[in-house]
Amino acid sequence: MPRARSRYAPDRGLTGRMVTTMFLIGLLYVVFVGVLLAALRGSWPIILIITGGMFVAQFWFSDRIAAYGMGAREVTPEQAPELHGTIDRICALADMPKPRVAIAESDVPNAFATGRSEKTALVCATTGLLRRLEPEELEGVLAHEMSHVAHRDVAVMTIASFLGVLAGIITRIALWGGFARSRPGNDPAGILLLLIPLISAVVYAISFLLTRLLSRYRELSADRAGALLTGRPSALASALTKVSGQMARIPTEDLRKAEPYNAFYFLPAFSAKESLGRMFSTHPTLEQRLDQLSRISTDLSR
């Protein structure tokens, strides 16, 4: 995993988790495809073409699809001077190239970053966020999002989620199409085919948990790196508190539309209250994030 070439504080914990997640996801991917090839011997060219094609599509186009799904519209400095000005200041502080800048027409106060690399990166803020935050708070949020670009964890999350998507698709095909109906029950290949839905479900569950663990840590890492870069953890804490409070005033229908993209957002559309729900959450709790920022503020004041 290449190190971030910027002034953002490096995070060895994040790097280690990204490498571990990618290794385990890759191992699951190899096992999964191996099982499919063993079960569907005569169809191996189709399997390789489909899985390979989906991987390429996921890697090259997923960021554009996500940006489109969240309504991101690229804007010029003339169209959004304050937003561009904030991004320019962060880029100067971090010594990194400027990403594309976008705005999403949504009252849900949020921001996100997409892209496989710094060259293809896009940072987007919603109109709801721009309307509600003060300049220092907005800078804290955007510094958080730029950290995702600098540390390249956006690309890792995109790739890591691929196997879970593929396993889910195969599970549905296996259940709806009835792979093993044409084979006798005592045929080893038929038995193996019967196991495909089960194996797919296990692979999906493992990849889901791995990506959720990585997602929660990377949000804490981005909070930490963004606060250290700007030197104003209190501004980011204020933005977190304000946005979290405003979420409760957003119509549920709008939050439901945003929920599928929670892993990309600065704050999730819905926050889990129960301890079990937090295990599957894409973000750490607000209390954890504020506590970390409070410690950083104390350290910086010394």
mmCIF file of all heavy atoms in Angstrom, residues 256-284:
data_model
loop_
_atom_site.group_PDB
_atom_site.id
_atom_site.type_symbol
_atom_site.label_atom_id
_atom_site.label_comp_id
_atom_site.label_asym_id
_atom_site.label_seq_id
_atom_site.Cartn_x
_atom_site.Cartn_y
_atom_site.Cartn_z
ATOM 1 N N ARG A 256 -33.650 8.061 3.832
ATOM 2 C CA ARG A 256 -33.673 6.728 3.232
ATOM 3 C C ARG A 256 -32.959 6.716 1.886
ATOM 4 O O ARG A 256 -32.269 5.766 1.530
ATOM 5 C CB ARG A 256 -35.113 6.253 3.067
ATOM 6 C CG ARG A 256 -35.838 5.946 4.369
ATOM 7 C CD ARG A 256 -35.265 4.750 5.060
ATOM 8 N NE ARG A 256 -36.005 4.432 6.286
ATOM 9 C CZ ARG A 256 -35.553 3.592 7.222
ATOM 10 N NH1 ARG A 256 -34.380 3.000 7.068
ATOM 11 N NH2 ARG A 256 -36.273 3.353 8.300
ATOM 12 N N LYS A 257 -33.118 7.793 1.124
ATOM 13 C CA LYS A 257 -32.459 7.882 -0.172
ATOM 14 C C LYS A 257 -30.942 7.978 -0.013
ATOM 15 O O LYS A 257 -30.182 7.481 -0.850
ATOM 16 C CB LYS A 257 -32.964 9.103 -0.940
ATOM 17 C CG LYS A 257 -34.414 9.001 -1.376
ATOM 18 C CD LYS A 257 -34.857 10.273 -2.082
ATOM 19 C CE LYS A 257 -36.326 10.188 -2.510
ATOM 20 N NZ LYS A 257 -36.774 11.446 -3.166
ATOM 21 N N ALA A 258 -30.484 8.593 1.066
ATOM 22 C CA ALA A 258 -29.053 8.764 1.302
ATOM 23 C C ALA A 258 -28.413 7.537 1.959
ATOM 24 O O ALA A 258 -27.208 7.330 1.848
ATOM 25 C CB ALA A 258 -28.810 9.988 2.177
ATOM 26 N N GLU A 259 -29.223 6.727 2.631
ATOM 27 C CA GLU A 259 -28.695 5.615 3.428
ATOM 28 C C GLU A 259 -27.812 4.641 2.653
ATOM 29 O O GLU A 259 -26.789 4.185 3.188
ATOM 30 C CB GLU A 259 -29.844 4.867 4.096
ATOM 31 C CG GLU A 259 -29.380 3.849 5.128
ATOM 32 C CD GLU A 259 -30.550 3.203 5.856
ATOM 33 O OE1 GLU A 259 -31.685 3.264 5.343
ATOM 34 O OE2 GLU A 259 -30.325 2.627 6.932
ATOM 35 N N PRO A 260 -28.108 4.261 1.390
ATOM 36 C CA PRO A 260 -27.248 3.311 0.682
ATOM 37 C C PRO A 260 -25.805 3.787 0.507
ATOM 38 O O PRO A 260 -24.909 2.971 0.262
ATOM 39 C CB PRO A 260 -27.947 3.164 -0.680
ATOM 40 C CG PRO A 260 -29.369 3.508 -0.426
ATOM 41 C CD PRO A 260 -29.322 4.578 0.609
ATOM 42 N N TYR A 261 -25.579 5.093 0.656
ATOM 43 C CA TYR A 261 -24.238 5.646 0.447
ATOM 44 C C TYR A 261 -23.566 6.034 1.760
ATOM 45 O O TYR A 261 -22.625 6.830 1.780
ATOM 46 C CB TYR A 261 -24.319 6.867 -0.477
ATOM 47 C CG TYR A 261 -24.971 6.563 -1.804
ATOM 48 C CD1 TYR A 261 -26.308 6.907 -2.037
ATOM 49 C CD2 TYR A 261 -24.283 5.921 -2.818
ATOM 50 C CE1 TYR A 261 -26.923 6.624 -3.252
ATOM 51 C CE2 TYR A 261 -24.877 5.635 -4.032
ATOM 52 C CZ TYR A 261 -26.203 5.989 -4.244
ATOM 53 O OH TYR A 261 -26.798 5.698 -5.448
ATOM 54 N N ASN A 262 -24.037 5.466 2.872
ATOM 55 C CA ASN A 262 -23.513 5.833 4.180
ATOM 56 C C ASN A 262 -21.998 5.705 4.281
ATOM 57 O O ASN A 262 -21.340 6.517 4.927
ATOM 58 C CB ASN A 262 -24.155 4.958 5.268
ATOM 59 C CG ASN A 262 -25.426 5.588 5.825
ATOM 60 O OD1 ASN A 262 -25.754 6.731 5.523
ATOM 61 N ND2 ASN A 262 -26.157 4.840 6.628
ATOM 62 N N ALA A 263 -21.434 4.656 3.674
ATOM 63 C CA ALA A 263 -20.001 4.406 3.799
ATOM 64 C C ALA A 263 -19.176 5.548 3.207
ATOM 65 O O ALA A 263 -18.018 5.741 3.593
ATOM 66 C CB ALA A 263 -19.630 3.093 3.114
ATOM 67 N N PHE A 264 -19.740 6.302 2.273
ATOM 68 C CA PHE A 264 -19.016 7.412 1.656
ATOM 69 C C PHE A 264 -19.180 8.714 2.433
ATOM 70 O O PHE A 264 -18.324 9.598 2.346
ATOM 71 C CB PHE A 264 -19.517 7.640 0.222
ATOM 72 C CG PHE A 264 -19.099 6.581 -0.753
ATOM 73 C CD1 PHE A 264 -19.929 5.501 -1.025
ATOM 74 C CD2 PHE A 264 -17.882 6.650 -1.403
ATOM 75 C CE1 PHE A 264 -19.554 4.528 -1.927
ATOM 76 C CE2 PHE A 264 -17.496 5.683 -2.305
ATOM 77 C CZ PHE A 264 -18.332 4.614 -2.575
ATOM 78 N N TYR A 265 -20.246 8.841 3.181
ATOM 79 C CA TYR A 265 -20.596 10.124 3.776
ATOM 80 C C TYR A 265 -19.772 10.466 5.017
ATOM 81 O O TYR A 265 -19.250 9.593 5.709
ATOM 82 C CB TYR A 265 -22.075 10.145 4.147
ATOM 83 C CG TYR A 265 -23.004 10.439 2.991
ATOM 84 C CD1 TYR A 265 -24.138 9.659 2.766
ATOM 85 C CD2 TYR A 265 -22.756 11.494 2.131
ATOM 86 C CE1 TYR A 265 -24.998 9.935 1.711
ATOM 87 C CE2 TYR A 265 -23.613 11.772 1.074
ATOM 88 C CZ TYR A 265 -24.728 10.991 0.865
ATOM 89 O OH TYR A 265 -25.570 11.267 -0.177
ATOM 90 N N PHE A 266 -19.719 11.775 5.296
ATOM 91 C CA PHE A 266 -19.064 12.292 6.502
ATOM 92 C C PHE A 266 -19.780 11.793 7.754
ATOM 93 O O PHE A 266 -19.147 11.430 8.742
ATOM 94 C CB PHE A 266 -19.076 13.823 6.429
ATOM 95 C CG PHE A 266 -18.670 14.517 7.694
ATOM 96 C CD1 PHE A 266 -17.383 14.401 8.178
ATOM 97 C CD2 PHE A 266 -19.577 15.310 8.388
ATOM 98 C CE1 PHE A 266 -17.002 15.055 9.342
ATOM 99 C CE2 PHE A 266 -19.204 15.969 9.543
ATOM 100 C CZ PHE A 266 -17.915 15.839 10.019
ATOM 101 N N LEU A 267 -21.098 11.758 7.699
ATOM 102 C CA LEU A 267 -21.924 11.219 8.777
ATOM 103 C C LEU A 267 -23.007 10.336 8.169
ATOM 104 O O LEU A 267 -23.540 10.662 7.103
ATOM 105 C CB LEU A 267 -22.591 12.340 9.583
ATOM 106 C CG LEU A 267 -21.903 12.834 10.854
ATOM 107 C CD1 LEU A 267 -22.676 13.996 11.453
ATOM 108 C CD2 LEU A 267 -21.776 11.722 11.872
ATOM 109 N N PRO A 268 -23.348 9.224 8.817
ATOM 110 C CA PRO A 268 -24.383 8.347 8.251
ATOM 111 C C PRO A 268 -25.758 8.989 8.340
ATOM 112 O O PRO A 268 -26.029 9.804 9.233
ATOM 113 C CB PRO A 268 -24.297 7.094 9.141
ATOM 114 C CG PRO A 268 -23.765 7.597 10.438
ATOM 115 C CD PRO A 268 -22.815 8.707 10.089
ATOM 116 N N ALA A 269 -26.616 8.618 7.398
ATOM 117 C CA ALA A 269 -27.980 9.145 7.407
ATOM 118 C C ALA A 269 -28.719 8.704 8.671
ATOM 119 O O ALA A 269 -29.492 9.467 9.256
ATOM 120 C CB ALA A 269 -28.723 8.668 6.165
ATOM 121 N N PHE A 270 -28.485 7.452 9.094
ATOM 122 C CA PHE A 270 -29.070 6.934 10.330
ATOM 123 C C PHE A 270 -27.942 6.397 11.196
ATOM 124 O O PHE A 270 -27.048 5.707 10.714
ATOM 125 C CB PHE A 270 -30.071 5.804 10.049
ATOM 126 C CG PHE A 270 -31.322 6.261 9.357
ATOM 127 C CD1 PHE A 270 -31.471 6.097 7.988
ATOM 128 C CD2 PHE A 270 -32.346 6.860 10.069
ATOM 129 C CE1 PHE A 270 -32.619 6.518 7.337
ATOM 130 C CE2 PHE A 270 -33.502 7.288 9.429
ATOM 131 C CZ PHE A 270 -33.637 7.117 8.065
ATOM 132 N N SER A 271 -27.977 6.703 12.486
ATOM 133 C CA SER A 271 -26.975 6.213 13.420
ATOM 134 C C SER A 271 -27.568 5.096 14.260
ATOM 135 O O SER A 271 -28.674 5.234 14.806
ATOM 136 C CB SER A 271 -26.483 7.342 14.340
ATOM 137 O OG SER A 271 -25.879 8.368 13.583
ATOM 138 N N ALA A 272 -26.816 3.999 14.387
ATOM 139 C CA ALA A 272 -27.287 2.864 15.180
ATOM 140 C C ALA A 272 -27.259 3.212 16.667
ATOM 141 O O ALA A 272 -26.288 3.788 17.164
ATOM 142 C CB ALA A 272 -26.415 1.640 14.917
ATOM 143 N N LYS A 273 -28.327 2.870 17.368
ATOM 144 C CA LYS A 273 -28.413 3.140 18.804
ATOM 145 C C LYS A 273 -28.013 1.922 19.632
ATOM 146 O O LYS A 273 -27.378 2.033 20.663
ATOM 147 C CB LYS A 273 -29.844 3.556 19.161
ATOM 148 C CG LYS A 273 -30.365 4.766 18.381
ATOM 149 C CD LYS A 273 -29.566 6.002 18.659
ATOM 150 C CE LYS A 273 -30.152 7.206 17.918
ATOM 151 N NZ LYS A 273 -29.368 8.429 18.127
ATOM 152 N N GLU A 274 -28.404 0.722 19.157
ATOM 153 C CA GLU A 274 -28.116 -0.489 19.911
ATOM 154 C C GLU A 274 -26.676 -0.944 19.674
ATOM 155 O O GLU A 274 -26.077 -0.664 18.638
ATOM 156 C CB GLU A 274 -29.071 -1.618 19.506
ATOM 157 C CG GLU A 274 -30.538 -1.290 19.693
ATOM 158 C CD GLU A 274 -31.111 -0.471 18.545
ATOM 159 O OE1 GLU A 274 -30.368 -0.274 17.551
ATOM 160 O OE2 GLU A 274 -32.268 -0.036 18.638
ATOM 161 N N SER A 275 -26.118 -1.662 20.667
ATOM 162 C CA SER A 275 -24.736 -2.138 20.559
ATOM 163 C C SER A 275 -24.568 -3.103 19.403
ATOM 164 O O SER A 275 -23.534 -3.110 18.728
ATOM 165 C CB SER A 275 -24.323 -2.816 21.871
ATOM 166 O OG SER A 275 -25.201 -3.893 22.182
ATOM 167 N N LEU A 276 -25.592 -3.938 19.129
ATOM 168 C CA LEU A 276 -25.498 -4.880 18.014
ATOM 169 C C LEU A 276 -25.477 -4.125 16.685
ATOM 170 O O LEU A 276 -24.717 -4.453 15.777
ATOM 171 C CB LEU A 276 -26.677 -5.858 18.042
ATOM 172 C CG LEU A 276 -26.690 -6.933 16.946
ATOM 173 C CD1 LEU A 276 -25.452 -7.809 17.043
ATOM 174 C CD2 LEU A 276 -27.958 -7.786 17.044
ATOM 175 N N GLY A 277 -26.310 -3.081 16.590
ATOM 176 C CA GLY A 277 -26.338 -2.296 15.371
ATOM 177 C C GLY A 277 -25.022 -1.587 15.117
ATOM 178 O O GLY A 277 -24.620 -1.394 13.973
ATOM 179 N N ARG A 278 -24.340 -1.187 16.179
ATOM 180 C CA ARG A 278 -23.065 -0.499 16.017
ATOM 181 C C ARG A 278 -22.001 -1.414 15.419
ATOM 182 O O ARG A 278 -21.058 -0.938 14.790
ATOM 183 C CB ARG A 278 -22.586 0.029 17.377
ATOM 184 C CG ARG A 278 -23.455 1.159 17.931
ATOM 185 C CD ARG A 278 -23.041 1.552 19.339
ATOM 186 N NE ARG A 278 -23.945 2.557 19.887
ATOM 187 C CZ ARG A 278 -23.887 2.984 21.140
ATOM 188 N NH1 ARG A 278 -22.972 2.489 21.970
ATOM 189 N NH2 ARG A 278 -24.740 3.899 21.567
ATOM 190 N N MET A 279 -22.130 -2.718 15.636
ATOM 191 C CA MET A 279 -21.173 -3.673 15.058
ATOM 192 C C MET A 279 -21.215 -3.633 13.533
ATOM 193 O O MET A 279 -20.208 -3.878 12.869
ATOM 194 C CB MET A 279 -21.466 -5.090 15.551
ATOM 195 C CG MET A 279 -21.174 -5.350 17.001
ATOM 196 S SD MET A 279 -21.627 -7.031 17.465
ATOM 197 C CE MET A 279 -20.655 -7.985 16.308
ATOM 198 N N PHE A 280 -22.381 -3.327 12.972
ATOM 199 C CA PHE A 280 -22.546 -3.321 11.523
ATOM 200 C C PHE A 280 -22.584 -1.903 10.959
ATOM 201 O O PHE A 280 -22.851 -1.721 9.779
ATOM 202 C CB PHE A 280 -23.842 -4.051 11.155
ATOM 203 C CG PHE A 280 -23.927 -5.451 11.706
ATOM 204 C CD1 PHE A 280 -24.922 -5.794 12.615
ATOM 205 C CD2 PHE A 280 -23.011 -6.411 11.337
ATOM 206 C CE1 PHE A 280 -24.994 -7.080 13.132
ATOM 207 C CE2 PHE A 280 -23.080 -7.690 11.844
ATOM 208 C CZ PHE A 280 -24.066 -8.036 12.752
ATOM 209 N N SER A 281 -22.294 -0.915 11.789
ATOM 210 C CA SER A 281 -22.335 0.467 11.342
ATOM 211 C C SER A 281 -21.106 0.812 10.508
ATOM 212 O O SER A 281 -20.014 0.264 10.710
ATOM 213 C CB SER A 281 -22.410 1.398 12.554
ATOM 214 O OG SER A 281 -22.353 2.746 12.154
ATOM 215 N N THR A 282 -21.279 1.748 9.572
ATOM 216 C CA THR A 282 -20.160 2.214 8.749
ATOM 217 C C THR A 282 -19.332 3.265 9.478
ATOM 218 O O THR A 282 -18.205 3.560 9.056
ATOM 219 C CB THR A 282 -20.673 2.824 7.434
ATOM 220 O OG1 THR A 282 -21.610 3.868 7.743
ATOM 221 C CG2 THR A 282 -21.357 1.772 6.575
ATOM 222 N N HIS A 283 -19.861 3.856 10.552
ATOM 223 C CA HIS A 283 -19.185 4.941 11.254
ATOM 224 C C HIS A 283 -19.102 4.658 12.748
ATOM 225 O O HIS A 283 -19.977 3.978 13.300
ATOM 226 C CB HIS A 283 -19.934 6.264 11.050
ATOM 227 C CG HIS A 283 -19.842 6.819 9.671
ATOM 228 N ND1 HIS A 283 -20.342 6.167 8.567
ATOM 229 C CD2 HIS A 283 -19.298 7.988 9.205
ATOM 230 C CE1 HIS A 283 -20.116 6.902 7.482
ATOM 231 N NE2 HIS A 283 -19.495 7.995 7.846
ATOM 232 N N PRO A 284 -18.072 5.180 13.410
ATOM 233 C CA PRO A 284 -18.048 5.112 14.874
ATOM 234 C C PRO A 284 -19.134 6.018 15.436
ATOM 235 O O PRO A 284 -19.722 6.833 14.709
ATOM 236 C CB PRO A 284 -16.641 5.627 15.223
ATOM 237 C CG PRO A 284 -16.259 6.495 14.070
ATOM 238 C CD PRO A 284 -16.891 5.882 12.858
#
